[in-house]
Amino acid sequence: AQSVTQLDSHVSVSEGTPVLLRCNYSSSYSPSLFWYVQHPNKGLQLLLKYTSAATLVKGINGFEAEFKKSETSFHLTKPSAHMSDAAEYFCVVSTGGSYIPTFGRGTSLIVHP
Amino acid sequence: NAGVTQTPKFQVLKTGQSMTLQCAQDMNHEYMSWYRQDPGMGLRLIHYSVGAGITDQGEVPNGYNVSRSTTEDFPLRLLSAAPSQTSVYFCASSYSLGQSNYGYTFGSGTRLTVV
């Protein structure tokens, strides 16, 4: 069984300040973990993925995430928010080589000037 | 380098009408799936396929049919449209190697309104 919980439905930051989007997962076997971003009226774009290699994963647009097995977490961070980062972010888990992912409910990132 | 192509981008149907949402990928991915996205509900899996000739139901399959005759194509059929099927529909494809899934490529979506 697998599940994912995004701990915040909305996160509000000022431009230039750090971003933290939190994700906890549950998986009975080795998970593959992903973060996706969805800008308004757009499709989902892969930000980064963890597939049992390095625990600190770097993605596009300055985002990174750290896989912490002991905490079952995969939080997304960025040192300095930009206005263009305002979007919906989804944490996704799939177990082992399974094709069937489980999506979190999403976190809306709001960036204030 | 097209990725996943969905058509149409927008569609308005009358209750009771049927239609097919098209999805095609050119990456030779084994796995294809259909999701619907509704406000506050995240993405919910409708149907999926792990290869040509193999399909299965997801979380919300009622009112939808799929088939997978080729690796590239995975159409979604609405049999008799209902207002509850008003949503944004996404097609996605993926591949795995061993115990690792290498991520899902999404189409740009189809915004469907049933009146």
Side-chain angles (χ1 to χ4, degrees):
Chain A
Q2 62 191 27
S3 66
V4 61
T5 302
Q6 292 184 241
L7 297 168
D8 306 290
S9 58
H10 297 85
V11 169
S12 183
V13 301
S14 297
E15 192 174 21
T17 64
V19 174
L20 170 64
L21 306 184
R22 299 182 294 165
C23 173
N24 286 354
Y25 70 92
S26 172
S27 174
S28 57
Y29 195 54
S30 56
S32 296
L33 292 157
F34 311 87
W35 276 99
Y36 282 84
V37 60
Q38 185 180 31
H39 288 92
N41 299 313
K42 299 291 186 182
L44 281 77
Q45 180 185 18
L46 180 65
L47 271 180
L48 49 79
K49 60 188 176 187
Y50 166 79
T51 53
S52 74
T55 56
L56 182 62
V57 182
K58 294 188 182 299
I60 61 172
N61 300 333
F63 285 94
E64 62 181 38
E66 186 171 8
F67 172 68
K68 292 188 176 180
K69 186 176 181 178
S70 61
E71 300 177 10
T72 61
S73 69
F74 191 58
H75 300 336
L76 182 71
T77 61
K78 182 174 181 178
S80 176
H82 192 274
M83 294 297 292
S84 61
D85 295 326
E88 191 84 11
Y89 291 80
F90 293 95
C91 183
V92 181
V93 63
S94 67
T95 298
S98 170
Y99 286 118
I100 304 174
T102 298
F103 283 78
R105 289 292 183 96
T107 298
S108 178
L109 177 64
I110 301 159
V111 182
H112 298 285
Chain B
N1 198 27
V4 177
T5 302
Q6 281 184 243
T7 56
K9 293 190 181 304
F10 302 94
Q11 184 70 50
V12 178
L13 287 180
K14 293 182 179 179
T15 297
Q17 286 185 317
S18 63
M19 78 160 295
T20 299
L21 307 185
Q22 301 291 344
C23 176
Q25 54 96 4
D26 61 358
M27 298 169 286
N28 203 33
H29 285 176
E30 306 101 328
Y31 174 81
M32 296 185 75
S33 57
W34 278 101
Y35 293 87
R36 60 177 291 172
Q37 185 177 31
D38 303 292
M41 302 292 289
L43 274 80
R44 293 183 291 171
L45 182 64
I46 305 171
H47 284 286
Y48 66 96
S49 168
V50 297
I54 306 169
T55 64
D56 207 345
Q57 296 181 352
E59 182 183 356
V60 288
N62 292 339
Y64 308 94
N65 272 357
V66 292
S67 60
R68 184 98 180 266
S69 56
T70 66
T71 300
E72 295 78 18
D73 299 301
F74 191 47
L76 177 73
R77 281 182 286 277
L78 279 71
L79 308 172
S80 177
S84 61
Q85 293 179 302
T86 294
S87 187
V88 181
Y89 291 83
F90 288 100
C91 179
S93 70
S94 179
Y95 73 99
S96 290
L97 286 176
Q99 294 302 308
S100 296
N101 185 297
Y102 281 80
Y104 306 88
T105 302
F106 284 84
S108 57
T110 296
R111 189 174 295 272
L112 176 68
T113 302
V114 183
V115 298

